[in-house]
Amino acid sequence: MVYTCQRRSIMQLFEDKPRLNVCAPMVRYSKGAFREVLRDYNVDVAYTPMILADVFKASEFARQDYTTNDTDCPVVVQFAAHDPIDLAQAAQIVAPFADGIDLNCGCPQKWAYKEKIGAYLSDRPETVREMVRAVKAAAGDTPCSVKIRKHPTDPRMTVELVRRAQMMGADWISIHGRTRHQKSTEPVDYDIIRLVKESVDVPVLANGGIFSLADAETMYSRTGVDGVMSARGLLKNPAFFAGFEHTPIECVEKYVDRAFAYGTPTAILHHHVMYMMESQMSAVERRSFNCLSSTSAILDHLYHYYGIQCI
């Protein structure tokens, strides 16, 4: 990890900019090369993928999965944990190399729930309270946040969770407006997001269903939040916060160049390019692209079909 630049205060951003554009944490995808590209297209803050705190604090090899540099700023490192001590130790290690530390209380995957992390914590506000306390004690002046989902059955539990987190010093809250059981195609619950915003005195970010500036505007008008987070929307079009309706070719070029420089695995490169170009590909082009299995083949395809010259 290399991070020598002056931190850009996320809390100052909340004060200076009434609406923040945020890249949500994405398993495998919100890594360094992609985060750098997003910053060229009006993304204010970017999260890392979810990192297991107990593994991160115990393994030097695991810590190598998080890379950053002076252009990756501000960056929020997201941890998943069920033990405050593990979380505190991981936070202490990463604090000099991050602008914020986030506790994942919303991962909906079954394996995460069985491990007592992610959305498992939505029923355990006291545990979340202790975890936030531990991070604040261990990470110095690095801000701490909590990312949650709508509680499956009781909105009062959602409110209790965020109030306990704020009580222990959480600097902002992020909420996804669906439960862990809901599909991404189901509507986002604006009412629960608005309720969270009205229940705390810290900034609130909203997540879920943000694919365009119009979606963001709807979220703001319905909830009054301080910023919006996007995951799948940015995968499809990393430039939509900058007003582009489709991924511009220059954005693809930038990503491929940086992914190549970072040594991004071919599978990740392939998926990113597919997400970005899918809406502009014909059925024949998609079938052809899906068969590519090497970085050189991907580069040849992009040049042949789109005139994209990378590297």
Side-chain angles (χ1 to χ4, degrees):
M1 294 178 284
V2 178
Y3 201 71
T4 59
C5 70
Q6 182 69 32
R7 284 179 178 167
R8 187 180 181 193
S9 169
I10 295 175
M11 304 317 297
Q12 189 64 49
L13 275 177
F14 277 119
E15 293 184 16
D16 294 343
K17 190 172 182 181
R19 296 180 171 186
L20 288 192
N21 303 326
V22 181
C23 169
M26 292 176 266
V27 176
R28 293 185 297 276
Y29 296 121
S30 54
K31 293 193 174 183
F34 188 60
R35 296 196 302 267
E36 284 190 29
V37 172
L38 294 175
R39 299 179 195 285
D40 292 338
Y41 296 97
N42 206 26
V43 168
D44 300 301
V45 179
Y47 280 57
T48 68
M50 182 182 75
I51 299 170
L52 299 177
D54 57 349
V55 177
F56 186 87
K57 63 101 174 176
S59 168
E60 175 64 33
F61 179 78
R63 291 195 285 274
Q64 294 175 14
D65 193 47
Y66 169 55
T67 58
T68 189
N69 56 41
D70 289 351
T71 61
D72 186 24
C73 178
V75 58
V76 178
V77 175
Q78 187 189 69
F79 285 120
H82 63 262
D83 180 79
I85 296 175
D86 287 340
L87 180 60
Q89 292 177 349
Q92 188 173 39
I93 292 169
V94 86
F97 310 101
D99 303 288
I101 296 170
D102 182 74
L103 172 61
N104 184 317
C105 299
C107 179
Q109 297 185 41
K110 291 181 179 179
W111 72 265
Y113 199 86
K114 290 180 179 178
E115 292 293 323
K116 300 181 179 181
I117 60 176
Y120 177 88
L121 298 173
S122 63
D123 285 314
R124 292 155 181 85
E126 187 62 29
T127 301
V128 173
R129 176 177 177 272
E130 292 307 309
M131 287 191 177
V132 173
R133 186 211 298 266
V135 172
K136 297 297 288 187
D141 61 353
T142 304
C144 169
S145 64
V146 174
K147 189 172 188 296
I148 69 169
R149 278 182 176 262
K150 172 187 174 182
H151 191 274
T153 59
D154 190 349
R156 292 172 298 180
M157 288 296 292
T158 303
V159 171
E160 181 68 12
L161 190 70
V162 297
R163 284 179 172 169
R164 295 282 185 101
Q166 177 184 266
M167 186 186 305
M168 284 299 101
D171 294 285
W172 74 92
I173 302 291
S174 304
I175 175 171
H176 193 298
R178 300 186 185 95
T179 73
R180 70 182 182 91
H181 303 292
Q182 288 182 288
K183 297 179 181 179
S184 60
T185 53
E186 296 183 58
V188 170
D189 186 343
Y190 296 110
D191 291 338
I192 192 63
I193 296 173
R194 186 179 67 251
L195 180 60
V196 166
K197 172 59 182 171
E198 293 172 349
S199 299
V200 295
D201 298 321
V202 296
V204 174
L205 301 176
N207 190 201
I210 306 296
F211 289 86
S212 66
L213 290 177
D215 293 334
E217 184 59 40
T218 299
M219 181 66 77
Y220 285 121
S221 65
R222 297 284 297 272
T223 67
V225 292
D226 304 280
V228 296
M229 308 180 85
S230 178
R232 292 180 299 123
L234 287 173
L235 283 177
K236 289 178 176 292
N237 179 6
F240 84 75
F241 276 128
F244 291 87
E245 293 187 5
H246 302 284
T247 305
I249 293 300
E250 67 168 20
C251 180
V252 181
E253 292 176 335
K254 287 180 180 181
Y255 173 71
V256 174
D257 282 343
R258 294 178 191 184
F260 187 81
Y262 276 77
T264 300
T266 298
I268 301 298
L269 171 66
H270 185 280
H271 283 299
H272 267 297
V273 175
M274 173 56 85
Y275 278 123
M276 287 189 274
M277 299 297 294
E278 188 172 18
S279 65
Q280 303 174 55
M281 288 181 176
S282 67
V284 172
E285 290 168 356
R286 283 195 293 271
R287 286 195 295 270
S288 174
F289 191 82
N290 280 332
C291 294
L292 304 179
S293 58
S294 69
T295 297
S296 60
I298 293 171
L299 298 180
D300 288 344
H301 180 98
L302 292 174
Y303 178 74
H304 175 75
Y305 281 97
Y306 308 102
I308 297 176
Q309 299 189 55
C310 304
I311 314 304

